[in-house]
Amino acid sequence: IARHRGLVALFVTWLSVAIVCSLALFAVEGGVSPNVNNIFDALWWGVVTLTSVGYGDVFPITPEGRLVGVVLMVLGVPRF
């Protein structure tokens, strides 16, 4: 693991961004959006958005939720 610190740091950062943005999405969309019924829906959205798969089954509908989506998309673009 010591030889792959950069890869571990990248994965931890990626996971942290996905979790923080998913929690933010759940905070603003939970109870509002029919697509976000629990925290796992928000986590699913975060991973799908961050990996650029974009299934479209879970998506934000509020302006705040869309802002969270923009933040996740911008932070998800690797800059190395």
Side-chain angles (χ1 to χ4, degrees):
I1 293 177
R3 291 186 357 209
H4 302 288
R5 270 187 225 171
L7 183 60
V8 171
L10 179 67
F11 181 73
V12 169
T13 302
W14 179 85
L15 188 60
S16 299
V17 167
I19 290 172
V20 168
C21 287
S22 296
L23 291 173
L25 180 82
F26 184 69
V28 298
E29 296 277 330
V32 177
S33 173
N35 300 318
V36 182
N37 298 313
N38 54 49
I39 191 66
F40 298 110
D41 290 339
L43 287 170
W44 172 253
W45 167 83
V47 171
V48 167
T49 300
L50 197 56
T51 58
S52 300
V53 174
Y55 289 128
D57 55 344
V58 178
F59 53 90
I61 61 171
T62 65
E64 296 86 0
R66 290 179 180 191
L67 180 61
V68 171
V70 167
V71 168
L72 181 60
M73 288 177 227
V74 169
L75 290 177
V77 176
R79 294 178 182 91
F80 47 94

